[in-house]
Short mmCIF file of all heavy atoms in Angstrom, two decimals:
data_model
loop_
_atom_site.label_atom_id
_atom_site.label_comp_id
_atom_site.label_asym_id
_atom_site.label_seq_id
_atom_site.Cartn_x
_atom_site.Cartn_y
_atom_site.Cartn_z
N PHE A 8 17.58 6.77 -20.45
CA PHE A 8 18.67 7.74 -20.48
C PHE A 8 19.82 7.39 -21.44
O PHE A 8 20.61 8.27 -21.77
CB PHE A 8 19.27 7.89 -19.08
CG PHE A 8 18.26 8.23 -18.03
CD1 PHE A 8 17.90 7.32 -17.07
CD2 PHE A 8 17.66 9.48 -18.02
CE1 PHE A 8 16.96 7.63 -16.09
CE2 PHE A 8 16.72 9.81 -17.06
CZ PHE A 8 16.37 8.88 -16.09
N LYS A 9 19.90 6.13 -21.87
CA LYS A 9 21.10 5.74 -22.62
C LYS A 9 20.85 5.59 -24.10
O LYS A 9 21.57 6.16 -24.93
CB LYS A 9 21.65 4.43 -22.05
CG LYS A 9 23.03 4.08 -22.58
CD LYS A 9 23.57 2.83 -21.86
CE LYS A 9 24.97 2.48 -22.37
NZ LYS A 9 25.50 1.28 -21.70
N PHE A 10 19.83 4.84 -24.49
CA PHE A 10 19.63 4.52 -25.89
C PHE A 10 18.44 5.25 -26.48
O PHE A 10 18.58 6.23 -27.20
CB PHE A 10 19.47 3.00 -26.07
CG PHE A 10 20.67 2.22 -25.64
CD1 PHE A 10 20.54 1.07 -24.88
CD2 PHE A 10 21.95 2.63 -25.99
CE1 PHE A 10 21.65 0.35 -24.47
CE2 PHE A 10 23.06 1.92 -25.59
CZ PHE A 10 22.92 0.79 -24.83
N ALA A 11 17.24 4.79 -26.18
CA ALA A 11 16.05 5.29 -26.85
C ALA A 11 15.60 6.65 -26.32
O ALA A 11 14.90 7.38 -27.01
CB ALA A 11 14.90 4.28 -26.70
N ASN A 12 15.97 6.99 -25.09
CA ASN A 12 15.54 8.23 -24.46
C ASN A 12 14.02 8.34 -24.45
O ASN A 12 13.45 9.40 -24.67
CB ASN A 12 16.16 9.43 -25.18
CG ASN A 12 16.13 10.69 -24.33
OD1 ASN A 12 16.07 10.63 -23.12
ND2 ASN A 12 16.17 11.84 -24.98
N ASN A 13 13.36 7.21 -24.22
CA ASN A 13 11.90 7.15 -24.21
C ASN A 13 11.44 7.01 -22.78
O ASN A 13 11.31 5.90 -22.24
CB ASN A 13 11.41 5.98 -25.07
CG ASN A 13 9.91 6.04 -25.30
OD1 ASN A 13 9.18 6.67 -24.55
ND2 ASN A 13 9.45 5.38 -26.34
N LEU A 14 11.19 8.13 -22.12
CA LEU A 14 10.81 8.10 -20.72
C LEU A 14 9.41 7.54 -20.52
O LEU A 14 9.11 6.97 -19.46
CB LEU A 14 10.89 9.51 -20.14
CG LEU A 14 12.30 10.13 -20.05
CD1 LEU A 14 12.24 11.50 -19.42
CD2 LEU A 14 13.24 9.23 -19.28
N GLY A 15 8.52 7.70 -21.51
CA GLY A 15 7.18 7.14 -21.38
C GLY A 15 7.21 5.63 -21.31
O GLY A 15 6.56 5.02 -20.45
N LEU A 16 7.97 5.00 -22.20
CA LEU A 16 8.09 3.55 -22.19
C LEU A 16 8.80 3.07 -20.93
O LEU A 16 8.43 2.05 -20.34
CB LEU A 16 8.83 3.09 -23.44
CG LEU A 16 8.83 1.58 -23.72
CD1 LEU A 16 7.42 1.10 -24.03
CD2 LEU A 16 9.77 1.25 -24.88
N SER A 17 9.82 3.79 -20.50
CA SER A 17 10.55 3.42 -19.29
C SER A 17 9.65 3.55 -18.06
O SER A 17 9.75 2.74 -17.12
CB SER A 17 11.79 4.30 -19.13
OG SER A 17 12.67 4.12 -20.21
N ALA A 18 8.79 4.56 -18.04
CA ALA A 18 7.85 4.71 -16.92
C ALA A 18 6.90 3.53 -16.87
O ALA A 18 6.56 3.03 -15.78
CB ALA A 18 7.08 6.02 -17.06
N ALA A 19 6.45 3.06 -18.03
CA ALA A 19 5.59 1.88 -18.06
C ALA A 19 6.35 0.65 -17.54
O ALA A 19 5.78 -0.19 -16.81
CB ALA A 19 5.08 1.63 -19.49
N MET A 20 7.63 0.53 -17.87
CA MET A 20 8.44 -0.57 -17.33
C MET A 20 8.53 -0.49 -15.82
O MET A 20 8.42 -1.51 -15.12
CB MET A 20 9.85 -0.51 -17.94
CG MET A 20 9.93 -0.77 -19.42
SD MET A 20 11.65 -0.62 -20.00
CE MET A 20 11.44 -0.91 -21.77
N SER A 21 8.73 0.72 -15.30
CA SER A 21 8.85 0.88 -13.85
C SER A 21 7.53 0.54 -13.15
O SER A 21 7.55 -0.01 -12.04
CB SER A 21 9.28 2.30 -13.51
OG SER A 21 8.28 3.24 -13.88
N MET A 22 6.40 0.83 -13.78
CA MET A 22 5.11 0.48 -13.19
C MET A 22 4.92 -1.03 -13.16
O MET A 22 4.38 -1.59 -12.20
CB MET A 22 3.98 1.14 -13.97
CG MET A 22 3.87 2.64 -13.81
SD MET A 22 3.58 3.13 -12.08
CE MET A 22 5.23 3.68 -11.60
N ILE A 23 5.37 -1.70 -14.21
CA ILE A 23 5.29 -3.17 -14.23
C ILE A 23 6.17 -3.75 -13.13
O ILE A 23 5.77 -4.70 -12.42
CB ILE A 23 5.71 -3.70 -15.61
CG1 ILE A 23 4.68 -3.27 -16.67
CG2 ILE A 23 5.85 -5.22 -15.58
CD1 ILE A 23 5.08 -3.64 -18.08
N LEU A 24 7.36 -3.20 -12.94
CA LEU A 24 8.24 -3.66 -11.87
C LEU A 24 7.59 -3.43 -10.51
O LEU A 24 7.65 -4.30 -9.62
CB LEU A 24 9.58 -2.92 -11.94
CG LEU A 24 10.58 -3.22 -10.82
CD1 LEU A 24 10.92 -4.69 -10.77
CD2 LEU A 24 11.84 -2.37 -11.00
N PHE A 25 6.96 -2.28 -10.33
CA PHE A 25 6.27 -1.98 -9.06
C PHE A 25 5.16 -3.00 -8.80
O PHE A 25 5.01 -3.50 -7.68
CB PHE A 25 5.69 -0.57 -9.11
CG PHE A 25 4.77 -0.25 -7.98
CD1 PHE A 25 5.26 0.02 -6.71
CD2 PHE A 25 3.39 -0.23 -8.17
CE1 PHE A 25 4.40 0.31 -5.66
CE2 PHE A 25 2.53 0.05 -7.13
CZ PHE A 25 3.04 0.33 -5.87
N ILE A 26 4.38 -3.32 -9.82
CA ILE A 26 3.28 -4.28 -9.65
C ILE A 26 3.82 -5.67 -9.32
O ILE A 26 3.28 -6.38 -8.47
CB ILE A 26 2.41 -4.31 -10.92
CG1 ILE A 26 1.69 -2.97 -11.10
CG2 ILE A 26 1.39 -5.45 -10.85
CD1 ILE A 26 0.97 -2.84 -12.42
N ILE A 27 4.92 -6.06 -9.97
CA ILE A 27 5.53 -7.36 -9.69
C ILE A 27 5.99 -7.43 -8.24
O ILE A 27 5.75 -8.43 -7.53
CB ILE A 27 6.70 -7.62 -10.66
CG1 ILE A 27 6.17 -7.87 -12.08
CG2 ILE A 27 7.53 -8.82 -10.20
CD1 ILE A 27 7.25 -7.99 -13.12
N ILE A 28 6.67 -6.39 -7.77
CA ILE A 28 7.14 -6.37 -6.38
C ILE A 28 5.97 -6.43 -5.42
O ILE A 28 6.01 -7.15 -4.41
CB ILE A 28 8.00 -5.11 -6.14
CG1 ILE A 28 9.31 -5.19 -6.94
CG2 ILE A 28 8.30 -4.95 -4.65
CD1 ILE A 28 10.16 -3.94 -6.84
N LEU A 29 4.92 -5.69 -5.72
CA LEU A 29 3.74 -5.68 -4.84
C LEU A 29 3.10 -7.06 -4.76
O LEU A 29 2.79 -7.56 -3.67
CB LEU A 29 2.73 -4.65 -5.35
CG LEU A 29 1.43 -4.53 -4.57
CD1 LEU A 29 1.70 -4.08 -3.14
CD2 LEU A 29 0.47 -3.57 -5.26
N ILE A 30 2.92 -7.71 -5.92
CA ILE A 30 2.30 -9.04 -5.94
C ILE A 30 3.15 -10.06 -5.20
O ILE A 30 2.64 -10.85 -4.39
CB ILE A 30 2.04 -9.48 -7.39
CG1 ILE A 30 0.98 -8.59 -8.05
CG2 ILE A 30 1.60 -10.93 -7.43
CD1 ILE A 30 0.78 -8.87 -9.51
N LEU A 31 4.45 -10.05 -5.44
CA LEU A 31 5.33 -11.02 -4.78
C LEU A 31 5.38 -10.79 -3.27
O LEU A 31 5.41 -11.75 -2.49
CB LEU A 31 6.73 -10.93 -5.38
CG LEU A 31 6.89 -11.46 -6.80
CD1 LEU A 31 8.33 -11.29 -7.27
CD2 LEU A 31 6.49 -12.93 -6.89
N THR A 32 5.38 -9.53 -2.86
CA THR A 32 5.42 -9.23 -1.43
C THR A 32 4.15 -9.71 -0.73
O THR A 32 4.22 -10.36 0.32
CB THR A 32 5.60 -7.71 -1.21
OG1 THR A 32 6.81 -7.27 -1.85
CG2 THR A 32 5.67 -7.40 0.27
N VAL A 33 3.00 -9.41 -1.31
CA VAL A 33 1.73 -9.85 -0.72
C VAL A 33 1.66 -11.38 -0.69
O VAL A 33 1.22 -11.99 0.29
CB VAL A 33 0.55 -9.26 -1.50
CG1 VAL A 33 -0.77 -9.86 -1.01
CG2 VAL A 33 0.51 -7.73 -1.36
N THR A 34 2.11 -12.02 -1.77
CA THR A 34 2.09 -13.49 -1.84
C THR A 34 2.98 -14.10 -0.77
O THR A 34 2.60 -15.08 -0.10
CB THR A 34 2.54 -13.95 -3.23
OG1 THR A 34 1.70 -13.37 -4.23
CG2 THR A 34 2.48 -15.47 -3.33
N GLN A 35 4.17 -13.54 -0.58
CA GLN A 35 5.07 -14.06 0.44
C GLN A 35 4.48 -13.91 1.83
O GLN A 35 4.59 -14.82 2.66
CB GLN A 35 6.42 -13.34 0.36
CG GLN A 35 7.29 -13.79 -0.81
CD GLN A 35 8.61 -13.05 -0.83
OE1 GLN A 35 8.67 -11.88 -1.19
NE2 GLN A 35 9.66 -13.72 -0.43
N PHE A 36 3.87 -12.78 2.10
CA PHE A 36 3.27 -12.57 3.42
C PHE A 36 2.14 -13.58 3.66
O PHE A 36 1.96 -14.06 4.79
CB PHE A 36 2.73 -11.15 3.55
CG PHE A 36 3.76 -10.17 4.04
CD1 PHE A 36 4.22 -9.16 3.23
CD2 PHE A 36 4.25 -10.26 5.33
CE1 PHE A 36 5.17 -8.26 3.68
CE2 PHE A 36 5.19 -9.36 5.80
CZ PHE A 36 5.66 -8.36 4.97
N ARG A 37 1.38 -13.90 2.62
CA ARG A 37 0.27 -14.84 2.79
C ARG A 37 0.78 -16.27 2.97
O ARG A 37 0.22 -17.05 3.75
CB ARG A 37 -0.68 -14.76 1.59
CG ARG A 37 -1.51 -13.49 1.57
CD ARG A 37 -2.54 -13.54 0.45
NE ARG A 37 -3.43 -12.38 0.49
CZ ARG A 37 -4.52 -12.30 1.23
NH1 ARG A 37 -4.87 -13.32 2.00
NH2 ARG A 37 -5.28 -11.22 1.22
N ILE A 38 1.82 -16.63 2.24
CA ILE A 38 2.33 -18.01 2.30
C ILE A 38 3.11 -18.26 3.59
O ILE A 38 2.96 -19.31 4.23
CB ILE A 38 3.21 -18.31 1.07
CG1 ILE A 38 2.35 -18.29 -0.21
CG2 ILE A 38 3.91 -19.66 1.22
CD1 ILE A 38 3.15 -18.48 -1.47
N LEU A 39 3.93 -17.29 3.99
CA LEU A 39 4.86 -17.52 5.09
C LEU A 39 4.36 -17.02 6.44
O LEU A 39 5.05 -17.21 7.44
CB LEU A 39 6.21 -16.83 4.78
CG LEU A 39 6.93 -17.32 3.53
CD1 LEU A 39 8.18 -16.49 3.28
CD2 LEU A 39 7.29 -18.79 3.65
#
């Protein structure tokens, strides 16, 4: 919304963030 106005690239960033959160959450549940 601010600089590049590239929603496609930003959507890919949000998917990477979603995958990171998912992996860390599953890992924490398994470890703890």
Side-chain angles (χ1 to χ4, degrees):
F8 306 110
K9 191 174 181 180
F10 298 135
N12 199 23
N13 191 338
L14 294 182
L16 191 65
S17 298
M20 294 178 182
S21 65
M22 289 300 102
I23 293 174
L24 176 59
F25 170 76
I26 293 172
I27 290 174
I28 293 176
L29 179 62
I30 293 174
L31 289 179
T32 302
V33 172
T34 303
Q35 285 180 286
F36 273 113
R37 288 186 175 275
I38 294 176
L39 299 176

